[in-house]
Amino acid sequence: MGSERKDGPERKFTTDEGSLRIHQAIARDMGTAILTGRHKPGDLFEGEIEASERLGVSRTAYREAIRILIAKGMLESRPKAGTRVLPRARWNVLDPEMLAWMFAGEPDRAFIRDLFELRGVIEPAAAEFAARRRTDDQLAIMDAALAEMERYGLSTPEGRAADQRFHNAILAATHNDALEALASSVGAAVSWTTTFKHRKKLLPRDPLPDHQAVHRAIAARDTAAARNAMAELLRLAFADMDIALSEPGA
């Protein structure tokens, strides 16, 4: 398998797709093909000249797409050895763009579990720290996010963006630079799991009360209650995700 040469995306790229530039669209399609197992670790891609001609794009565009995937740990490219798919352990699976590619199709159940286990380690502790350290301004950001979640609902882009702001505000309220650095990854995980649940389920359980319980505990500076409320929010969110994954077509 390691010596097998693999073609990249099958279709031609002639114009920008929405807000994506050509090299970004190529990277997305190649990355998605790797994530779905069409291209497996150890597989060798065709050369830059052949690939760019087949796709109808410039060598520069193809080269930039490869660089994107190298930066995400999905590929390595060496002179004379060619471009190969790296083992999954090398991939930056928390990269927000990679998460978007994963959830564009049907996400892997094991990876969903991994995401929620990671959130279960990070977010209850973050809620506890936030209850101890939050400022009034940070609490106001959480208030505003909850109000928008209630106004728009999580089935809308506006509601999901507010959900991200709520979770990001909690991480910011820890006043821990290492935890704050996880905001983009945690926020992307929140957004894409919520998007998937609403795509699969017409009337999902309303998670707003769970968020409000976390907010009340943080506002009261009750560290134990904040940790427990966040753990319960995640437990229920994972149960909702399991239901969504079990529905027909999942």
Side-chain angles (χ1 to χ4, degrees), residues 186-230:
V186 170
V190 169
S191 178
W192 287 109
T193 52
T194 302
T195 299
F196 181 82
K197 283 185 289 187
H198 282 264
R199 189 174 75 194
K200 288 291 181 182
K201 193 174 176 63
L202 292 178
L203 295 172
R205 182 187 61 82
D206 183 8
L208 183 62
D210 311 330
H211 290 73
Q212 290 169 332
V214 173
H215 175 265
R216 284 194 299 271
I218 292 174
R221 298 192 185 278
D222 188 332
T223 55
R227 173 183 279 275
N228 292 336
M230 181 60 82

Side-chain angles (χ1 to χ4, degrees), residues 25-210:
I26 297 169
R28 178 201 60 199
D29 280 19
M30 292 179 70
T32 301
I34 293 170
L35 289 168
T36 57
R38 179 180 160 200
H39 303 319
K40 302 183 185 303
D43 284 349
L44 179 66
F45 277 87
E46 63 190 323
E48 178 184 299
I49 297 174
E50 300 97 314
S52 58
E53 289 180 351
R54 178 173 54 79
L55 294 171
V57 301
S58 69
R59 291 176 62 182
T60 299
Y62 184 79
R63 192 180 306 125
E64 287 301 314
I66 293 296
R67 285 176 179 166
I68 289 173
L69 298 179
I70 289 173
K72 296 182 189 304
M74 302 181 84
L75 296 178
E76 70 172 359
S77 183
R78 296 182 178 179
K80 298 183 181 179
T83 301
R84 292 182 184 275
V85 180
L86 288 173
R88 188 181 179 95
R90 299 277 298 275
W91 304 352
N92 181 9
V93 294
L94 293 180
D95 178 271
E97 191 171 30
M98 192 182 297
L99 285 171
W101 297 343
M102 289 181 182
F103 283 92
E106 300 300 328
D108 178 73
R109 281 176 177 269
F111 182 69
I112 295 296
R113 180 207 62 206
D114 292 349
L115 272 183
F116 274 93
E117 286 182 352
L118 177 66
R119 291 183 63 191
V121 171
I122 294 170
E123 293 192 84
E128 179 179 344
F129 290 137
R132 184 178 298 124
R133 301 169 181 169
R134 59 85 178 162
T135 65
D136 289 343
D137 287 344
Q138 288 165 334
L139 194 63
I141 293 172
M142 296 178 213
D143 282 332
L146 285 176
E148 291 198 13
M149 287 170 64
E150 185 171 17
R151 176 183 178 186
Y152 294 109
L154 294 183
S155 62
T156 68
E158 294 85 358
R160 291 193 293 273
D163 190 15
Q164 278 188 283
R165 286 197 296 276
F166 178 80
H167 287 270
N168 288 349
I170 291 173
L171 290 171
T174 67
H175 296 275
N176 179 306
D177 288 345
L179 284 172
E180 285 189 67
L182 298 173
S184 62
S185 295
V186 170
V190 169
S191 178
W192 287 109
T193 52
T194 302
T195 299
F196 181 82
K197 283 185 289 187
H198 282 264
R199 189 174 75 194
K200 288 291 181 182
K201 193 174 176 63
L202 292 178
L203 295 172
R205 182 187 61 82
D206 183 8
L208 183 62
D210 311 330

